[in-house]
Amino acid sequence: MQFRLIAFLLLFYIFSGVILEYFQSNDSVSFKDIQEQIIINENELNVFEKESLDDINVTEKRVKAWIVIIKYNETNEKIIKSTLEKSGYNIKHDTKKMFFSLGPFADVSHANNEVKKLKKIHSINSKIVDFVF
């Protein structure tokens, strides 16, 4: 019992300064003072107003991509086509210019890897061409 009384008095003594300061506080902060401290920027509030699109400048309108071009002649057309199809490539065939195309690739390093694979595995010469759309 005495231990509880001593513990209570000790805690009361420790926190008495905070309690007295709370009740004797003469600095009252009013709601008006708080409103004066808030700074409102009118430009940030008008985010939903409609503006003309003529003032907007687009720096890059187009996307660049790369394709792998494999040229052929009449003698090796069927061999190259069957080799690419067996390897799982989705090829596009341009009969007028006599080439097969692979891609498009979004990254030039991916296209370079495909060229290296074609050369190393199938001994097919090819080149990378970029285009913008």
Side-chain angles (χ1 to χ4, degrees):
M1 181 71 177
Q2 292 176 348
F3 176 73
R4 290 184 186 170
L5 181 62
I6 292 171
F8 175 74
L9 290 175
L10 182 64
L11 287 175
F12 184 75
Y13 177 75
I14 291 172
F15 293 110
S16 63
V18 177
I19 294 170
L20 288 174
E21 185 178 319
Y22 177 75
F23 286 116
Q24 293 178 352
S25 176
N26 291 334
D27 298 333
S28 62
V29 179
S30 66
F31 186 68
K32 185 178 179 182
D33 293 336
I34 294 173
Q35 283 183 337
E36 289 176 358
Q37 293 176 0
I38 298 174
I39 299 171
I40 298 174
N41 187 355
E42 293 294 329
N43 293 333
E44 292 178 359
L45 292 178
N46 297 331
V47 294
F48 296 109
E49 290 183 3
K50 293 182 180 178
E51 294 182 6
S52 173
L53 295 177
D54 297 332
D55 299 335
I56 298 175
N57 294 329
V58 178
T59 57
E60 190 172 332
K61 297 178 184 178
R62 301 175 182 193
V63 177
K64 195 171 193 178
W66 291 266
I67 57 173
V68 175
I69 301 293
I70 304 163
K71 292 191 176 194
Y72 64 87
N73 54 31
E74 290 84 12
T75 58
N76 64 359
E77 175 185 358
K78 292 181 181 179
I79 296 169
I80 291 175
K81 184 175 182 178
S82 65
T83 303
L84 292 174
E85 287 177 346
K86 286 179 185 176
S87 298
Y89 287 105
N90 185 12
I91 58 172
K92 290 152 190 88
H93 188 193
D94 189 345
T95 55
K96 292 179 184 176
K97 296 181 182 177
M98 296 180 67
F99 68 82
F100 296 109
S101 64
L102 306 175
F105 299 100
D107 191 17
V108 69
S109 63
H110 188 191
N112 280 328
N113 289 340
E114 293 301 320
V115 168
K116 289 176 186 175
K117 284 181 195 175
L118 288 171
K119 180 68 176 170
K120 185 177 181 181
I121 297 172
H122 303 295
S123 300
I124 297 175
N125 293 327
S126 57
K127 66 178 184 175
I128 299 172
V129 177
D130 64 335
F131 67 98
V132 178
F133 63 96

